[in-house]
Amino acid sequence: MLLTIATTHQPATDLGYLLRKNPARLQSFRLSFGTAWVFYPEATDEQCEMALQVEVDPVGLVRNRRGPQGEARTLDQYVNDRPYAASSFLSVAIADVFGTALSGVCKERPGLEDLPLPFEVTVAALPCRGGEELLRRMFEPLGYAVETEPLPLDSRFSEWGVSRYFRVKLSAKIPLQRLLSHLYVLVPVLDNDKHYWVGEDEVSKLLRHGEGWLATHPERELVARRYLKHQRRLVEDAMSQLVVETGVDPDEEQQRQDAEEMALESCVSAAGTAVAIGTPEADARVEEETGGSLNEQRMGTVLAVLKSTRASRVLDLGCGEGRLLRALLKESQFSEIVGVDVSHRALEVARDRIRYDRMSEIQRARVKILQGSLMYRDQRISSYEAAAVVEVIEHLDAPRLAAFERVVFGCAKPDHVVVTTPNREYNVKWESLPGGQFRHRDHRFEWTRAEFRTWAERVASGFGYRVRYLPVGPEDATVGPPTQLALFERNSP
Ligand code: SAH
């Protein structure tokens, strides 16, 4: 089976950085069910095209019982469409070969992964159970222009008519990570089959890869049903978690995406300044100017505040690379410590940082690291005594912030919640930060003290909490501290 992804973004060869696959080389990857090859039929500054070819070994499938279901030793097990048609095998190949890009990371060109770029995708043979109409219903709401060409059952016998396979071309201007997650989820959905057993973790996989688009997709229920192989309990579970975000009006969401896209475009055209902000070097400069690490001061304050709540079971929501987790582990007051983040890569770093693999049994029993999104209701984080949300909210745009509020304050409902976020007023103190710029490229906003308080008061009164504020870092008489902190305390029922 063959998938190609092409772009005319300039320089087009940035595609190689985004996918982390060198355009100059032919590379092969061993998969549990066959082999994948990555090569670039074209790689110039103007146009770059990557091809992923996946070869499925049908005999190996039978041996490993991964083939289509059917009676043992029937012909169908050996002769089937799996080697040619795009299916869940393609999703696995995408995750294995382009795992980093799928998780939205691009080390060599930070920021590029979030930029909507012009992409053209072709899938040589996409099985569509439900026909062309369903194919369009899946991709068009996501902003793709869809071109299809039905493939004949047999090119030698035109009277046999067309098959359920299509040659498909999709064009859109979106971030690569989005594009890959759309394919990852929707290809097996269109095929209406999966080559592996679908269990509980398939729900979280669907929510993770569907983040930011599935909850507002008009066909979300059909997607969930097919993705979860029609297992009623799993589908209900997924739909109940998707509900939180559907509070977002799809039209509003579309407008927001358009606005974001325009903002990003102007950010690229002003690339000179924009690039300086998002980079680790700029970050380090900002840190340097605070005289010591603001990060450490922040962790110290958050830790002190958590200790003062007398909580022993605590959450670190958006724990990132685990700095706070490590500090929490050193305090015997905390008997159960749970880190949650949407980013796999960050959690891997966190696991290393706290030396999870080398912990004693007793230590290990105190800590849990969960991959999950704060956009969705999640039983695993409900009824804890305290939660820390350190430098996370400024990464969420308005509809996501609203979903976050409902998930954390409305559903998980810890007794105490500590939230920190930058104080924008303080930015003038940093010479390396041009006026009006944010501290990180990914920040959707940075609030003044008044703005933060307005938000916090609204959340507190809406969800039954009281709130107090603390400065973090060196406080300036006029512009305040670099970081602001709110401590929410739940009113007793
Ligand atoms: N609290 C950490 C990391 C802050 S960076 C620290 O202070 O070091 C923001 C983190 O929020 C990132 O790790 C990012 O992956 C995470 N994040 C962003 N959106 C999220 C979401 N919807 N659900 C869970 N985590 C999210």
Side-chain angles (χ1 to χ4, degrees), residues 211 295 298-299 316-321 323 340-343 346 372-375 390-392 395-396:
E211 191 183 316
N295 238 320
R298 191 157 49 220
M299 290 305 157
D316 182 4
L317 303 177
C319 63
E321 301 183 349
R323 274 182 277 264
V340 181
D341 204 286
V342 74
S343 157
S373 167
L374 301 171
M375 298 301 99
V390 180
E391 307 292 286
V392 173
H395 293 268
L396 308 175

Side-chain angles (χ1 to χ4, degrees), residues 270-336:
T273 45
V275 166
I277 303 302
T279 61
E281 300 80 58
D283 252 17
R285 250 181 292 138
V286 165
E287 295 277 270
E288 242 169 60
E289 285 177 35
T290 64
S293 163
L294 176 55
N295 238 320
E296 274 166 31
Q297 295 180 39
R298 191 157 49 220
M299 290 305 157
T301 312
V302 171
L303 190 64
V305 170
L306 285 175
K307 280 166 80 175
S308 76
T309 67
R310 304 193 184 286
S312 58
R313 303 174 54 244
V314 295
L315 299 164
D316 182 4
L317 303 177
C319 63
E321 301 183 349
R323 274 182 277 264
L324 180 63
L325 293 178
R326 189 168 66 175
L328 290 167
L329 273 162
K330 290 187 185 146
E331 302 288 337
S332 59
Q333 173 181 337
F334 304 112
S335 59
E336 195 181 331

Side-chain angles (χ1 to χ4, degrees), residues 96-113:
D96 279 7
V97 176
F98 302 124
T100 316
L102 182 63
S103 66
V105 176
C106 179
K107 271 210 187 102
E108 288 84 359
R109 295 281 188 278
L112 199 60
E113 65 272 38

